[in-house]
Amino acid sequence: MGTIITHYLTLAAILFCIGLYGALTKRSGIIVLLSIELMLNAVNLNLVAFSKLGDHPALTGQIFSLFNITIAAAEAAVGVAILIAIYRNKGTSDVTDLDSMKR
C-alpha cells in the first residue's frame, strides 16, 4: 500500500511543479490562472490520496477537497472577470504590463 500512495504523491508533485513553472514564467493572465488551477488540483490529489490511503482512512480529506474545488471555481470566475476588465481598459492581458493600478 505504501507504493500506491507514492505514485499519487509523485504525480501530485509533478503537477504542482508544472503549475508553479507556468505561474512564474508565463506572461498571459489566462495561462497564469490555469497554472494556479493545476497547483490546486495537485493539492486536491494529495488530500484525496491521504484521505483514502492513509493510516486512518476517512472522508475528511475528500470533503476538504470538495471545498477546495468550490473555492478554485470561484477564484477562476473572479480572475477571468478581472482579466476581461483589464483587457478592456489596457488592451493587453500580459501580466508584466500590469504593474500599476492607474490607467
Side-chain angles (χ1 to χ4, degrees), residues 47-60:
L47 287 170
V48 171
F50 280 122
S51 173
K52 181 110 173 125
L53 301 171
D55 290 336
H56 304 289
L59 289 177
T60 54

Side-chain angles (χ1 to χ4, degrees), residues 1-92:
M1 185 190 257
T3 60
I4 295 172
I5 198 165
T6 306
H7 296 307
Y8 286 114
L9 297 180
T10 304
L11 177 62
I14 291 169
L15 284 175
F16 191 85
C17 288
I18 291 170
L20 185 64
Y21 174 77
L24 294 177
T25 60
K26 300 301 177 186
R27 296 173 59 179
S28 172
I30 298 293
I31 301 298
V32 171
L33 283 175
L34 287 174
S35 298
I36 292 170
E37 291 292 324
L38 195 60
M39 290 190 294
L40 288 172
N41 284 330
V43 171
N44 288 337
L45 184 60
N46 278 335
L47 287 170
V48 171
F50 280 122
S51 173
K52 181 110 173 125
L53 301 171
D55 290 336
H56 304 289
L59 289 177
T60 54
Q62 295 172 7
I63 292 170
F64 192 69
S65 179
L66 286 174
F67 284 125
N68 197 3
I69 290 169
T70 306
I71 298 299
E75 173 261 333
V78 170
V80 168
I82 290 171
L83 280 175
I84 289 172
I86 289 172
Y87 183 77
R88 286 182 181 171
N89 287 334
K90 297 271 190 173
T92 183

Side-chain angles (χ1 to χ4, degrees), residues 88-100:
R88 286 182 181 171
N89 287 334
K90 297 271 190 173
T92 183
S93 66
D94 189 359
V95 294
T96 57
D97 292 341
L98 306 174
D99 57 353
S100 69

